[in-house]
């Protein structure tokens, strides 16, 4: 009875706090699942809990006090170690559905992309084409050659033709313009990715982990066409399925954040502007 009396059941507010804490922990572990940071996070938690339990049970008060004080520095270390994951979470939070301010969609890109991909696939010419959405890709654009060209199948095919100066890299399309070519995309660090995936496919997944871009990939070895989005890769798409997936994704309206960015670039934005965007993901086309 004395052991049971030492514990007091929480009230309704206490249960609410427990639920919120459990939900936050679940979201954190789900966020790090499958990334290189997951093993580091697990190792840190196990090491700290083990040391804390040993020092507490052994009455090593000095070491226990040191571990408690080190919590602040461990928090700072976690921010540094998991900087890519934290950056990706903040980017996703910046495009949550709060308000609907419709803008022009990118449906006009479907036909030139289809023609380009079909040509490159038949000739087994590798390609990496990213279509920017709400989250900007300026840092990645700076790694390549700036362009300001209309999107056409002929131009895209020429860029990726072997031995041309810009073929070894990715193309970024912003709005209805090709804004950069020969760009270096960040490689995905997911450990569960198939070992058969080459650098081009890992780069496609990598940029979609950091942004909400849609990436079309053509394999140089097989000519197979894939689409990467939201950190996932869909491989082996035929013409009909590729057209259906592109049409579904590119008809989504570019809103809020894109409008605010365009206002800043044109000098129209003021401090009184309040532009919130909406982004609603369609269910993945099976």
């Amino acid at each position: 009875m004395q052991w049971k009396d030492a514990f007091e059941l929480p009230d309704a507010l206490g249960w609410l706090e427990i639920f919120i804490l459990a939900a936050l922990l679940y979201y954190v572990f789900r966020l790090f699942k499958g990334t290189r940071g997951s093993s580091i996070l697990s190792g840190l938690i196990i090491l700290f809990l083990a040391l804390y339990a040993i020092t507490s049970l052994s009455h090593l008060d000095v070491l226990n006090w040191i571990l408690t004080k080190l919590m602040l520095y461990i928090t700072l270390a976690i921010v540094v170690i998991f900087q890519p994951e934290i950056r990706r979470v903040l980017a996703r939070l910046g495009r949550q559905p709060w308000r609907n301010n419709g803008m022009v969609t990118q449906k006009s890109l479907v036909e030139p992309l289809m023609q380009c991909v079909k040509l490159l696939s038949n000739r087994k010419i590798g390609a990496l084409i990213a279509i920017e959405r709400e989250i900007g890709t300026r840092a990645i654009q700076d790694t390549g050659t700036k362009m300001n060209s209309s999107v056409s199948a002929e131009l895209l095919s020429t860029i990726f033709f072997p031995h041309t100066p810009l073929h070894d890299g990715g193309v970024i399309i912003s709005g209805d313009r090709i804004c950069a070519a020969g760009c270096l995309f960040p490689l995905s660090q997911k450990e569960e990715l198939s070992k058969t995936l080459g650098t081009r496919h890992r780069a496609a997944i990598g940029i979609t982990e950091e942004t909400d871009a849609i990436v079309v990939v053509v394999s140089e070895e097989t000519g197979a066409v894939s689409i990467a989005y939201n950190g996932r890769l869909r491989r082996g798409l035929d013409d009909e399925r590729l057209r259906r997936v592109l049409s579904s994704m590119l008809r989504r309206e570019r809103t809020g954040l894109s409008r605010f960015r365009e206002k800043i670039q044109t000098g129209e934005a003021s401090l009184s502007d309040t532009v919130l965007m909406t982004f609603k993901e369609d269910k993945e086309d099976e």
Side-chain angles (χ1 to χ4, degrees):
M1 291 295 295
Q2 294 179 354
W3 181 81
K4 293 182 178 179
D5 294 338
F7 295 91
E8 182 179 352
L9 290 176
D11 54 9
L13 187 59
W15 283 113
L16 178 61
E17 292 176 339
I18 293 174
F19 175 77
I20 294 175
L21 181 60
L24 289 175
L25 289 176
Y26 170 78
Y27 182 77
V28 169
F29 282 108
R30 183 179 178 183
L31 171 69
F32 290 115
K33 181 181 178 182
T35 65
R36 179 176 296 180
S38 61
S39 57
I40 301 176
L41 180 63
S42 301
L44 285 174
I45 293 175
I46 293 173
L47 178 62
F48 181 80
L49 291 178
L51 291 176
Y52 190 82
I54 292 173
T55 55
S56 298
L57 295 175
S58 303
H59 301 289
L60 302 175
D61 297 333
V62 176
L63 292 179
N64 188 272
W65 178 83
I66 292 176
L67 284 175
T68 304
K69 296 301 180 182
L70 283 177
M71 278 300 298
L72 174 61
Y73 302 100
I74 293 176
T75 304
L76 295 176
I78 289 176
V79 172
V80 175
I81 294 172
F82 302 116
Q83 183 264 343
E85 287 80 5
I86 294 173
R87 181 176 58 186
R88 184 165 68 249
V89 171
L90 294 177
R92 290 180 179 177
L93 288 176
R95 56 184 177 92
Q96 292 298 315
W98 289 306
R99 184 178 172 185
N100 188 359
N101 292 323
M103 290 187 67
V104 178
T105 63
Q106 296 173 294
K107 290 188 295 184
S108 60
L109 301 178
V110 175
E111 286 305 320
L113 284 175
M114 287 296 304
Q115 297 174 19
C116 169
V117 168
K118 185 175 182 179
L119 175 62
L120 297 178
S121 178
N122 291 336
R123 298 188 180 185
K124 293 186 178 180
I125 298 176
L128 186 61
I129 305 172
I131 305 165
E132 180 185 280
R133 298 292 288 171
E134 300 292 341
I135 300 176
T137 58
R138 176 162 302 181
I140 302 175
Q141 295 176 28
D142 291 340
T143 64
T145 301
K146 291 297 183 64
M147 301 179 64
N148 185 21
S149 308
S150 58
V151 179
S152 66
E154 294 79 9
L155 179 56
L156 287 173
S157 302
T158 302
I159 291 174
F160 290 108
F161 197 81
H163 309 302
T164 56
L166 300 178
H167 85 283
D168 193 12
V171 166
I172 297 180
I173 298 175
S174 180
D176 59 351
R177 311 286 290 181
I178 300 176
C179 58
C183 301
L184 301 178
F185 291 1
L187 298 181
S188 175
Q189 301 298 326
K190 285 185 176 180
E191 296 180 353
E192 75 270 17
L193 291 179
S194 172
K195 301 297 182 182
T196 61
L197 289 179
T199 304
R200 184 176 285 110
H201 291 81
R202 289 181 178 273
I205 298 174
I207 190 174
T208 61
E209 289 175 344
E210 298 188 6
T211 71
D212 60 346
I214 302 167
V215 183
V216 181
V217 191
V218 180
S219 173
E220 187 174 356
E221 289 77 16
T222 64
V225 181
S226 307
I227 282 187
Y229 179 70
N230 199 24
R232 293 175 294 179
L233 184 70
R234 303 180 62 183
R235 307 177 66 183
L237 300 178
D238 55 25
D239 290 347
E240 180 181 352
R241 196 171 184 187
L242 176 63
R243 182 185 298 276
R244 187 168 66 248
V245 172
L246 283 177
S247 299
S248 174
M249 289 183 169
L250 296 180
R251 73 164 178 259
R252 300 169 181 169
E253 294 179 341
R254 301 170 67 244
T255 55
L257 187 57
S258 296
R259 172 177 291 182
F260 187 63
R261 187 165 61 244
E262 291 178 6
K263 282 189 174 184
I264 291 177
Q265 293 174 352
T266 58
E268 296 178 5
S270 65
L271 293 178
S272 60
D273 286 338
T274 303
V275 183
L276 299 178
M277 51 94 32
T278 182
F279 184 85
K280 181 178 181 181
E281 292 187 357
D282 296 333
K283 291 183 179 179
E284 185 176 359
D285 185 19
E286 296 295 340

